[in-house]
Amino acid sequence: MRSHPIDLSLCPHHTDVTTFSGPYLALKTGSGDRQLSLVGGNCWTVGRGDDNNFVLPDRWISRNHAMFQGTDNGKFYLIDLGSRNGTFVNGRRVSVPVILHDGDLLTFGQTELRFYSPIDASSTLDVNLGGSRSSDTTATAMLHVRQLISVVVVDIRDFTAMTRQTDEKIHSEAIGTWFRRAGEIIGQYGSWVDKYIGDAVMAVWIHGSEGADDTSMLQILQAVSTLAAMTGQIHQQFPLPFPLRIGAGINTGYAMVGNTGSSDRPDYTALGDTVNAAFRLETSTKQLGLDVAMGETTYQYIQQIGSPKAAFLQGSETNNLHFKRFTVEMKGYEAPITTWAGTFTDLDQFLAATL
């Protein structure tokens, strides 16, 4: 249950943080440290908007900036909610949910808070005598937050044919290398691999409450382009029967983002039709004989990217992307779905004209 919001600009009084026994945040103010309790709930949001639990009057902070999630075994996670200027723990930017430790320094915009927990559950194991775990530690924390996200699904083409023609050891090393490099590339462009699925990866970009900005949309396109280039070079390192290729689906929309795992095995992911459609869009590239397919909302956001050189209205001579509109049948959908699809060459030309 969400607690009442605390507007920190209206709380100038001093609180002695040494008297508080539960987990809390300490905010330095002109008159001393302000104590923000993390007791009596399991979710607290931070941001500039008055719909947050902790309202920070800092113009560098997004309306909905970040979220603290407490689990049933006492661990606390900090999750960035697609903030424009980022969330930092001990000076390092948060790109995936991180476990907080006693004394961690948290930075939101130009505001610093410190996390304190008298019992640092992040470094302890909650195990009963006799080796059995308590029922609390295996409870599933189904807490979610509705967020605007972009989902990218990338799949290796002709994967089954390759496995039949490749030595098992070589195949394992090649795919392991591809997964590792894919994770590095996605991290380079501001996200993380949400799922490794056979011969595919799924990544999620969380956008702010203001919508998807140009920077994040360009990062997504750059990630897909770099993944394609990396995949095409794998055969130079391993004796594969043919160069590897990928297909990609990109979809933007609202989804529930949160922990679907247990407290001792958290699994942060996105759920909903936005995610399902991204997988279907990737599959549609095989039907269309193209490389990349994106949903209409993704296309609309990319249309708004500021460079006049990058205007890509269909049929225009200044259309640098050359993606075309298709209507495709997708499994699980009663009506045909509109997608915009093209090749990696089209994508690279668009990025070259835009960046």
Side-chain angles (χ1 to χ4, degrees):
M1 179 179 296
R2 169 168 287 194
S3 59
H4 294 295
I6 300 176
D7 187 340
L8 301 181
S9 65
L10 303 177
C11 302
H13 61 280
H14 173 79
T15 301
D16 183 359
V17 298
T18 62
T19 64
F20 195 69
S21 59
Y24 61 87
L25 304 171
L27 170 69
K28 290 188 178 298
T29 69
S31 57
D33 283 349
R34 170 67 181 160
Q35 178 180 305
L36 312 175
S37 174
L38 296 175
V39 175
N42 54 10
C43 174
W44 299 263
T45 56
V46 177
R48 209 176 64 249
D50 58 11
D51 57 339
N52 294 282
N53 299 103
F54 303 133
V55 181
L56 298 173
D58 180 340
R59 68 188 184 91
W60 298 100
I61 292 176
S62 298
R63 285 191 56 82
N64 299 103
H65 196 98
M67 178 179 74
F68 296 92
Q69 180 176 345
T71 62
D72 47 22
N73 65 354
K75 294 180 182 179
F76 278 83
Y77 287 82
L78 177 59
I79 307 157
D80 184 80
L81 297 178
S83 64
R84 182 178 295 273
N85 293 315
T87 298
F88 297 81
V89 176
N90 299 323
R92 298 183 65 179
R93 186 163 186 165
V94 171
S95 58
V96 298
V98 296
I99 297 176
L100 296 178
H101 299 266
D102 185 46
D104 278 348
L105 179 64
L106 318 178
T107 306
F108 309 98
Q110 296 185 344
T111 302
E112 291 187 346
L113 300 93
R114 199 169 287 275
F115 172 79
Y116 290 104
S117 179
I119 301 177
D120 189 351
S122 63
S123 59
T124 62
L125 291 176
D126 184 9
V127 182
N128 293 332
L129 293 176
S132 63
R133 292 184 180 271
S134 68
S135 59
D136 287 345
T137 62
T138 57
T140 300
M142 291 297 290
L143 175 65
H144 294 92
V145 176
R146 188 170 185 265
Q147 289 286 134
L148 179 67
I149 65 171
S150 288
V151 181
V152 173
V153 175
V154 175
D155 175 81
I156 299 177
R157 291 285 185 264
D158 302 319
F159 183 79
T160 302
M162 186 194 71
T163 60
R164 290 173 177 169
Q165 301 177 50
T166 309
D167 176 80
E168 184 175 331
K169 181 179 179 183
I170 293 174
H171 166 260
S172 177
E173 291 178 353
I175 295 304
T177 299
W178 183 81
F179 276 130
R180 176 176 56 80
R181 291 180 182 172
E184 292 171 351
I185 289 168
I186 290 169
Q188 176 186 350
Y189 290 106
S191 183
W192 72 96
V193 175
D194 184 282
K195 290 285 185 294
Y196 292 96
I197 312 167
D199 57 346
V201 296
M202 164 186 157
V204 176
W205 277 258
I206 301 178
H207 303 300
S209 58
E210 297 87 355
D213 57 30
D214 291 1
T215 299
S216 61
M217 298 310 296
L218 284 172
Q219 283 183 319
I220 292 167
L221 299 184
Q222 287 176 285
V224 171
S225 173
T226 307
L227 285 167
M230 177 275 291
T231 304
Q233 296 169 359
I234 288 287
H235 73 287
Q236 297 174 6
Q237 182 177 351
F238 301 96
L240 302 177
F242 48 80
L244 295 182
R245 299 182 304 112
I246 59 171
I250 312 173
N251 197 37
T252 303
Y254 283 91
M256 302 305 290
V257 180
N259 180 18
T260 61
S262 62
S263 59
D264 59 338
R265 290 183 179 274
D267 180 16
Y268 280 89
T269 190
L271 301 172
D273 185 64
T274 297
V275 177
N276 298 337
F279 281 90
R280 302 300 185 225
L281 288 167
E282 187 282 319
T283 300
S284 74
T285 62
K286 302 171 187 177
Q287 304 170 16
L288 298 171
L290 296 169
D291 299 321
V292 186
M294 61 179 65
E296 282 197 282
T297 302
T298 303
Y299 180 83
Q300 290 168 6
Y301 273 115
I302 294 174
Q303 271 191 313
Q304 298 171 15
I305 291 176
S307 170
K309 292 173 64 180
F312 61 108
L313 296 174
Q314 187 181 18
S316 169
E317 293 182 0
T318 60
N319 175 0
N320 292 303
L321 188 60
H322 299 297
F323 272 29
K324 295 181 180 179
R325 184 178 182 273
F326 296 90
T327 300
V328 295
E329 300 282 347
M330 296 204 300
K331 183 178 179 181
Y333 291 81
E334 295 181 359
I337 301 297
T338 297
T339 182
W340 295 82
T343 66
F344 288 128
T345 299
D346 296 330
L347 181 60
D348 291 342
Q349 290 176 349
F350 171 76
L351 289 171
T354 306
L355 298 174

